[in-house]
Amino acid sequence: MVSKRRVLVAIGIAGLGTATWWWVRRPPVIEVEVARASVGPLRVSIEETGTTRVRAHTDVNAPVSGRWVPATVKEGDLVSTGTRLGTLYPVPLDASAREQATARVGSAGASIAEAESRRAAARTALDEARRTQGRVVALGAAGAVAPEEIERARDAVSLRESDVHAADERLRVARYDLAVARAALAGATGAASGLTLSAPMSGTILAIAEAHERVVPSGTRLLEIGDPRDVEVLVPLLTADALRVREGASVLLTFGAAASTLEADGRDTVVGRVVRIEPSAYTRMSALGVEEQRVNVIVSVPATAVHVGDRFRADVRITVREVARALRVPASALTRHDETWTIWVVSNGRVDRRPVQLGERGTDQVDVRDGLQAGDTVVLFPGDRLRANARIRVARTTALPP
């Protein structure tokens, strides 16, 4: 007869074995990164890479064929209007070349008329912008308009002032071109005396195309002069994205490093405005060899911005819409399940999958219209390891910006 003690020992051994089996076979605890859903502003934006370019700049070209002897100027040198850039010793003109030189004189004269017209239009636009600013400031003092409208009006005045400055420089360059064309026509007779080329505008020498003495044909680009303090950013947007952008939209510009790195301390990051969307698109090959239709969007850079030059890289984030109060979660919390957007929600150390309905989608965050509540803890980068009711351990909590 089996003793009672042996029965209890057998039961204990069986229970211990069962507990050991359960402990070994139970699902492991999964470490996850989480964030809390919160209510706050959501900015919908488009990210792209742009390139700076100097607004007021001009090329100095050889007006006639001849031997070019450059002066001792270097890239980066500051020059004023009339600074000697070099001497061009023209070759004798034949009848055809003389006719071309005469035509250049006529063309330069027409360019002056066009530049004067543009300057007048720019000054008229500046006067209108100043009147608008006065009205908006007065309404702002009465509380009738938002502070953003006052800021836009001030930005518009600053932009129109830059347009007037650029128009003045274009007129100065046109007059210089006319003087050079007349001198080339009058002096290109094979005489030993050369034609002195001087700076048509004040600024910085951006590039020297012909740094050594040599014979150059008519029209050869010799130097480029511009004002690097007055730059804009050219952004090649996909046409589908450009349709969402409006003139005057706020733009976050980052120079010198990734935007995600600089947003924390603000270095090399400034706020600009979309000033123009060019009317004609063009075809460009992507890195994958796919033809893309793109259009240039021009963004103004504040005059007090970080020091950048011509053709610098800029990381651009263009705001297309802002939601004042949205239930926000990081976009990395979203997963697709049965053609539905879902989010893994943490409760009492376990997770559950919830279907959600989305509103606006920003670059890093999304607006959840249904399926979540403020304060819910959601899993970021869930992956394929999560299962319903799985046990989790929070390894890191990411805070959303206010």
Side-chain angles (χ1 to χ4, degrees):
M1 183 176 181
V2 180
S3 66
K4 183 177 181 181
R5 181 178 180 182
R6 290 181 177 179
V7 172
L8 293 177
V9 170
I11 293 174
I13 292 173
L16 180 60
T18 301
T20 301
W21 177 87
W22 175 84
W23 180 264
V24 172
R25 297 296 300 273
R26 71 171 186 163
V29 177
I30 303 173
E31 287 192 350
V32 296
E33 180 180 350
V34 300
R36 291 187 181 276
S38 64
V39 176
L42 178 67
R43 177 173 295 176
V44 182
S45 57
I46 299 171
E47 290 189 353
E48 188 55 77
T49 300
T51 306
T52 64
R53 68 179 181 186
V54 173
R55 281 167 46 87
H57 66 97
T58 184
D59 288 339
V60 177
N61 301 319
V64 293
S65 299
R67 181 167 57 89
W68 167 243
V69 181
T72 56
V73 292
K74 302 181 296 296
E75 293 178 345
D77 285 355
L78 295 175
V79 295
S80 57
T81 303
T83 300
R84 178 177 172 274
L85 303 175
T87 304
L88 182 67
Y89 296 92
V91 298
L93 294 179
D94 56 21
S96 175
R98 190 175 296 276
E99 289 181 1
Q100 293 178 8
T102 303
R104 278 195 293 270
V105 172
S107 175
S111 297
I112 290 180
E114 180 184 5
E116 289 176 340
S117 176
R118 290 187 176 184
R119 183 178 65 171
R123 289 180 173 176
T124 300
L126 174 59
D127 293 340
E128 176 62 26
R130 286 173 174 169
R131 289 193 294 269
T132 300
Q133 180 188 17
R135 291 193 295 268
V136 171
V137 170
L139 292 173
V145 297
E148 291 79 5
E149 293 295 329
I150 300 177
E151 182 181 354
R152 290 193 184 96
R154 289 173 179 167
D155 289 342
V157 170
S158 177
L159 176 63
R160 298 310 175 193
E161 289 175 344
S162 297
D163 289 342
V164 170
H165 173 70
D168 289 338
E169 293 297 340
R170 281 194 292 267
L171 178 58
R172 189 175 292 111
V173 170
R175 289 170 176 169
Y176 166 82
D177 289 341
L178 177 60
V180 169
R182 286 174 174 172
L185 179 61
T189 59
S193 60
L195 177 64
T196 299
L197 298 185
S198 56
M201 61 178 289
S202 299
T204 301
I205 296 180
L206 302 177
I208 298 178
E210 298 294 339
H212 305 286
E213 179 180 340
R214 77 178 188 94
V215 176
V216 296
S218 174
T220 300
R221 178 173 175 265
L222 304 175
L223 303 95
E224 182 182 2
I225 301 175
D227 183 2
R229 297 169 301 177
D230 183 14
V231 299
E232 60 189 8
V233 176
L234 186 147
V235 187
L237 284 187
L238 292 170
T239 52
D241 290 336
L243 292 174
R244 303 164 58 196
V245 177
R246 295 292 179 266
E247 292 186 1
S250 176
V251 183
L252 186 67
L253 301 166
T254 303
F255 304 94
S260 58
T261 303
L262 294 175
E263 282 180 352
D265 53 24
R267 293 177 302 170
D268 297 338
T269 300
V270 297
V271 176
R273 297 281 179 185
V274 173
V275 296
R276 186 171 69 258
I277 302 173
E278 294 185 350
S280 179
Y282 57 91
T283 302
R284 192 177 79 174
M285 298 295 293
S286 70
L288 300 178
V290 179
E291 288 189 351
E292 298 175 335
Q293 291 301 113
R294 291 185 176 264
V295 63
N296 291 330
V297 174
I298 311 303
V299 177
S300 65
V301 179
T304 57
V306 294
H307 176 71
V308 293
D310 193 33
R311 302 181 183 94
F312 277 43
R313 170 194 168 104
D315 291 320
V316 180
R317 183 174 293 181
I318 303 175
T319 300
V320 297
R321 187 176 178 187
E322 290 184 280
V323 181
R325 289 180 56 82
L327 181 58
R328 308 168 302 164
V329 297
S332 56
L334 294 176
T335 60
R336 293 290 285 179
H337 180 70
D338 293 338
E339 303 300 324
T340 302
W341 287 111
T342 62
I343 292 178
W344 290 96
V345 182
V346 178
S347 179
N348 298 323
R350 296 183 180 272
V351 293
D352 183 35
R353 189 199 301 266
R354 290 189 194 174
V356 293
Q357 293 183 3
L358 304 180
E360 296 289 345
R361 299 190 61 173
T363 304
D364 304 315
Q365 303 170 12
V366 296
D367 172 23
V368 180
R369 298 288 177 83
D370 188 32
L372 284 183
Q373 295 182 353
D376 284 347
T377 301
V378 301
V379 177
L380 307 183
F381 312 104
D384 299 330
R385 298 177 59 194
L386 290 184
R387 297 290 184 271
N389 208 36
R391 296 182 304 123
I392 58 96
R393 179 169 57 249
V394 176
R396 179 184 175 187
T397 301
T398 299
L400 293 177

